Amino acid sequence: MPGNPPDSSLGTSPGTSPGTSPGTSPGTSLGTSLGTLPRPATRRAAGPAPRRRGAAGSAPRRRGNGLFVLACLAPALVLFALFMIVPTVNVFRMSFYTWSGFSPDMRFVGLDNFTALLDDAQFVRAFQNTVALLVVVTVVTMGMGLFLAAIMTRQRLRGRTLYRFVLYVPSVLSVVVIAAIFSAVFDQENGLINGTLRALSLDGLRQVWLGDQDLVLWSVAIAMVWQSLGYYMVLYMSGMASIPEDVYEASALDGASPGRQFFAITLPLIWQNLRTTLTFFVMSAVNLSFVLVRAMTGGGPDGSSEVLLSYMYKQAYTNSSYGYGMAIGVVIFAFSFLVSLLVSRATRREPLQF
């Protein structure tokens, strides 16, 4: 209104912004005019970000954890090196020498031990027996193990817990005990098989099971299957038990038979389990065949049940041909590694999930 003085706080002059007076800076006038208001929090000057709590000791702590883990693993690593790596390297080294195993005389012969294997008929026969046992025992054990596991898991059998126990018992017995059991079963005079045939008046079917060159290897194969079957059956049962029942119910509604369910559902879903056990069985069957042959037949009659490991044992520790025996050991190592690699490659497939 006329006569009232102009508001000084809104007075402006050319070249000044509203709320400022001539001769003062905008920051000064703004601080004066708003001095009664609470000041907002000011931002700190830029600088290094503060360290988190404990960040300074994280690197020493990680180093200390690594040392602790190494200290825990050191005994196992030392034992593994002493009893696995060093003997394996020594086998390869000694395969290039001729040595009796007892005398101080060692002569380097290079690859002569390996070339001699090609002309050794006993070695070729032992190699053939090993391959035959691996093929037959692996196919029968894996096939029967899958079949029995499917029955025990999918069928409601009365007393199936007892069946599981009976089938699994051989897996916990010593291999030497199993060899003694089957030596008694296959005994020519008082064995279980020949005694049963005699009682049934079937004397014409009695055989010298461990003395016939055509039957002895298959007798050893029966003992190997009986020892391994229950263990792998339990492994497959654990894999099958993890498959949801809804999958089988849905397939049954679509008209799938139990056989179709096994090949279309069960087998693909436990394939990784089957693949792992197959590789493991091939590796362990080589050692198992040696123990059973050594305890049951000694490689006889006339080398008809000889396998690679038993032949290596005879050459290295009986015939005093240690270098030649170590050459056979190198062949066994390469053969086992190659078979495991082939099995792993042949069974590789995309894993299925439910």
Side-chain angles (χ1 to χ4, degrees):
M1 293 179 63
N4 292 335
D7 190 352
S8 62
S9 64
L10 298 178
T12 59
S13 62
T16 61
S17 60
T20 61
S21 59
T24 61
S25 64
T28 305
S29 62
L30 182 62
T32 304
S33 59
L34 300 180
T36 58
L37 297 178
R39 293 186 178 181
T42 58
R43 181 174 296 183
R44 294 181 180 179
R51 291 185 177 180
R52 291 185 177 181
R53 189 185 224 172
S58 60
R61 187 180 298 112
R62 285 196 298 267
R63 190 180 301 109
N65 292 338
L67 293 176
F68 176 75
V69 172
L70 181 61
C72 294
L73 293 178
L77 294 176
V78 170
L79 292 176
F80 181 79
L82 288 178
F83 294 101
M84 292 296 296
I85 297 179
V86 173
T88 302
V89 173
N90 191 48
V91 167
F92 279 83
R93 183 179 66 87
M94 292 304 302
S95 65
F96 298 107
Y97 289 85
T98 177
W99 184 41
S100 65
F102 302 98
S103 66
D105 298 330
M106 295 176 57
R107 184 166 57 90
F108 181 80
V109 294
L111 298 176
D112 290 351
N113 289 328
F114 295 96
T115 56
L117 291 176
L118 300 177
D119 299 327
D120 190 346
Q122 289 287 348
F123 169 78
V124 174
R125 190 173 188 180
F127 185 83
Q128 293 174 345
N129 292 339
T130 302
V131 174
L133 284 176
L134 282 180
V135 173
V136 173
V137 175
T138 300
V139 171
V140 174
T141 303
M142 299 293 106
M144 291 185 64
L146 287 169
F147 176 74
L148 292 174
I151 292 179
M152 296 294 179
T153 305
R154 301 295 307 153
Q155 303 297 325
R156 299 187 179 277
L157 298 177
R158 178 178 298 178
R160 61 180 178 178
T161 303
L162 178 61
Y163 299 150
R164 295 176 186 175
F165 173 76
V166 172
L167 290 171
Y168 186 73
V169 163
S171 301
V172 300
L173 296 178
S174 172
V175 181
V176 178
V177 173
I178 293 174
I181 292 174
F182 276 90
S183 295
V185 168
F186 292 126
D187 186 74
Q188 179 180 353
E189 297 297 332
N190 302 315
L192 178 63
I193 298 178
N194 285 346
T196 302
L197 293 176
R198 185 190 302 112
L200 297 176
S201 299
L202 298 175
D203 292 342
L205 298 178
R206 296 172 60 192
Q207 302 290 335
V208 185
W209 302 100
L210 299 180
D212 192 332
Q213 295 188 15
D214 297 329
L215 297 175
V216 61
L217 194 64
W218 309 117
S219 301
V220 175
I222 292 174
M224 292 178 64
V225 171
W226 189 76
Q227 193 274 339
S228 306
L229 180 59
Y231 177 76
Y232 290 94
M233 180 196 71
V234 171
L235 290 180
Y236 297 145
M237 286 177 60
S238 64
M240 295 177 186
S242 64
I243 302 176
E245 188 66 24
D246 299 341
V247 180
Y248 291 103
E249 293 178 355
S251 64
L253 292 176
D254 292 337
S257 63
R260 179 63 177 172
Q261 289 178 343
F262 176 79
F263 288 102
I265 299 176
T266 304
L267 199 59
L269 290 179
I270 67 167
W271 186 259
Q272 294 302 317
N273 188 3
L274 177 62
R275 182 187 180 194
T276 303
T277 55
L278 184 60
T279 305
F280 177 75
F281 181 79
V282 170
M283 298 291 292
S284 61
V286 176
N287 297 325
L288 179 62
S289 63
F290 162 67
V291 179
L292 288 176
V293 166
R294 184 70 182 172
M296 291 177 62
T297 66
D302 195 23
S304 55
S305 63
E306 200 81 78
V307 292
L308 284 176
L309 275 176
S310 63
Y311 188 62
M312 183 199 78
Y313 182 86
K314 284 185 177 180
Q315 293 297 325
Y317 301 105
T318 303
N319 296 341
S320 298
S321 300
Y322 192 83
Y324 189 67
M326 294 305 100
I328 301 175
V330 172
V331 173
I332 296 172
F333 180 87
F335 172 74
S336 302
F337 179 80
L338 180 61
V339 170
S340 300
L341 181 62
L342 292 176
V343 169
S344 179
R345 291 292 180 89
T347 57
R348 179 183 298 176
R349 59 179 295 176
E350 189 70 22
L352 299 179
Q353 297 180 353
F354 45 81

